[in-house]
Amino acid sequence: VIKCKAAVAWEAGKPLSIEEVEVAPPKAHEVRIKIVATAVCHTDAYTLSGADPEGCFPVILGHEGAGIVESVGEGVTKVKKGDTVIPLYIPQCGECKFCKNPKTNLCQKIRITQGKGVMPDGTSRFTCKGKQIYHFMGTSTFSEYTVVADISVAKIDAAAPLDKVCLLGCGISTGYGAAVNTAKVEPGSTCAVFGLGGVGLAVIMGCKIAGASRIIGIDINKDKYAKAKEFGATECISPQDSKKPIQEVLVEMTDGGVDYSFECIGNVGVMRAALEACHKGWGVSVIVGVAAAGQEISTRPFQLVTGRTWKGTAFGGWKSVDSVPKLVTEYMSKKIKVDEFVTHTLPFDKINEAFELMHSGK
């Protein structure tokens, strides 16, 4: 058993608490990882807020991390002690019908137990002050050591800087893949990206790499425009600058609508606007943001009858074990940006400050 520091969420709506936790050794087909770096994501904040119906407490959150394999359980063959890895919240077992289908990346092998905050055998590897602590998204990267299923880990280039590539565990991969895998943006196309946070910037990067000629960034926070342009946005607009609905503004700006739109916020009203901003006959709108539990999307069916397509994406459609090492290689060869997404680097015990920075849009 390893004793180490972790940020424990004891209950919903309260700040994280840095505690000493015990991390049990990995069982069969499990891997124990020394986490070197982790990022914070709105999904962690959503669960911490208490709005997530799958949220269980007390829990160790975090799902954008990178580290080194400390030890492996019986039967683990794909990674060994000392390997550099990224934990994966969408695993890839290679055996379920989802993994065997090229149309999806949603491996279901450990979905049920992962959603309940436990390892595949139904138990937890974390204890603190004599209490069992739940896992989160199969990763729990807000701990100096964590245990994951062996299908939930990608071995990456040992030379990669872990404080950067940890972002490929969720946000950057999600946005980039939404553009290149889910939407399949084509050269010369016009795109609109709603929400210019980390995921939105990654979508812009993907649209640019795919050859889009016009990329319109949309956000009410104008402080985000300069960064969006750095990533490839050709122009940025705020919905608050017009009395008309944003979809009408976009349709006018683009002679009938955009070819591709992306919702990167998790707001069902914006999801509708993003669809309705698409061009009749061929426009495609991709939902990337995760809306709160119980919310529903709506539009007039005529929007779809007249040739628009509404799609969604999880982790950018990447089959995780196969794709994450390739994304790291693309970063190392400067095909994709990663360093530019990092705004602040903080010590682990300042993790609550990181959440405050994220909520303030900084």
Side-chain angles (χ1 to χ4, degrees):
V1 174
I2 288 178
K3 288 186 176 179
C4 69
K5 281 196 299 187
V8 177
W10 287 106
E11 56 184 301
K14 296 277 167 70
L16 302 178
S17 175
I18 301 288
E19 305 279 3
E20 183 181 77
V21 298
E22 290 90 45
V23 185
K27 295 190 182 177
H29 294 288
E30 295 177 3
V31 179
R32 187 160 60 181
I33 302 167
K34 179 180 194 215
I35 296 290
V36 174
T38 185
V40 296
C41 172
H42 277 284
T43 311
D44 304 305
Y46 168 62
T47 298
L48 185 58
S49 75
D52 181 356
E54 272 199 347
C56 348
F57 295 89
V59 64
I60 294 172
L61 299 169
H63 63 284
E64 284 186 333
I68 310 291
V69 174
E70 178 274 332
S71 59
V72 298
E74 192 188 329
V76 175
T77 55
K78 296 211 172 133
V79 293
K80 63 185 186 303
K81 182 178 176 171
D83 282 350
T84 306
V85 293
I86 290 177
L88 308 166
Y89 68 89
I90 293 182
Q92 185 186 352
C93 70
E95 294 165 358
C96 70
K97 68 179 180 182
F98 289 80
C99 281
K100 288 179 170 169
N101 191 320
K103 293 177 180 177
T104 185
N105 63 330
L106 296 175
C107 173
Q108 297 295 294
K109 182 83 179 258
I110 58 172
R111 177 76 200 96
I112 307 294
T113 50
Q114 182 171 315
K116 288 179 180 163
V118 290
M119 294 300 289
D121 73 344
T123 62
S124 168
R125 301 291 161 269
F126 296 120
T127 45
C128 181
K129 299 177 180 171
K131 286 190 181 153
Q132 172 182 291
I133 309 291
Y134 287 108
H135 293 249
F136 177 67
M137 288 175 76
T139 53
S140 289
T141 60
F142 293 172
S143 175
E144 291 178 327
Y145 287 85
T146 190
V147 179
V148 303
D150 63 352
I151 59 171
S152 302
V153 63
K155 181 182 171 181
I156 62 161
D157 184 342
L162 301 188
D163 61 329
K164 306 294 192 297
V165 296
C166 61
L167 292 172
L168 293 169
C170 177
I172 297 178
S173 305
T174 297
Y176 177 45
V180 299
N181 297 332
T182 309
K184 297 186 168 63
V185 171
E186 296 145 330
S189 52
T190 298
C191 303
V193 181
F194 292 77
L196 301 176
V199 175
L201 294 175
V203 171
I204 290 172
M205 176 176 78
C207 292
K208 186 181 179 184
I209 289 170
S213 59
R214 193 173 178 191
I215 304 167
I216 305 164
I218 300 129
D219 203 299
I220 56 176
N221 181 352
K222 295 188 176 178
D223 294 341
K224 300 201 170 223
Y225 293 177
K227 198 78 166 167
K229 287 179 178 165
E230 193 186 310
F231 277 86
T234 52
E235 62 219 280
C236 295
I237 57 173
S238 168
Q240 294 174 339
D241 285 352
S242 172
K243 289 197 168 71
K244 290 180 184 168
I246 187 68
Q247 53 267 55
E248 286 182 27
V249 174
L250 285 160
V251 167
E252 283 175 16
M253 280 173 68
T254 56
D255 184 29
V258 299
D259 302 310
Y260 299 97
S261 70
F262 302 85
E263 197 280 353
C264 308
I265 302 160
N267 177 313
V268 292
V270 179
M271 290 172 190
R272 176 173 190 158
L275 175 80
E276 295 177 359
C278 283
H279 202 288
K280 184 190 283 190
W282 64 77
V284 174
S285 187
V286 181
I287 294 173
V288 192
V290 178
Q295 295 195 330
E296 297 182 349
I297 49 172
S298 63
T299 189
R300 292 192 176 129
F302 195 67
Q303 290 284 336
L304 302 178
V305 171
T306 51
R308 294 169 193 82
T309 303
W310 220 345
K311 303 180 87 167
T313 189
F315 195 54
W318 301 106
K319 289 204 184 253
S320 58
V321 173
D322 292 342
S323 303
V324 168
K326 292 177 185 163
L327 289 166
V328 170
T329 303
E330 284 193 5
Y331 157 64
M332 299 290 277
S333 62
K334 299 194 163 50
K335 186 188 168 187
I336 60 172
K337 290 177 157 69
V338 174
D339 297 13
E340 293 82 352
F341 285 87
V342 180
T343 57
H344 298 75
T345 302
L346 299 164
F348 187 32
D349 55 10
K350 297 267 172 70
I351 191 161
N352 288 307
E353 278 182 37
F355 277 93
E356 286 163 23
L357 287 162
M358 180 173 69
H359 287 306
S360 68
K362 293 178 182 160

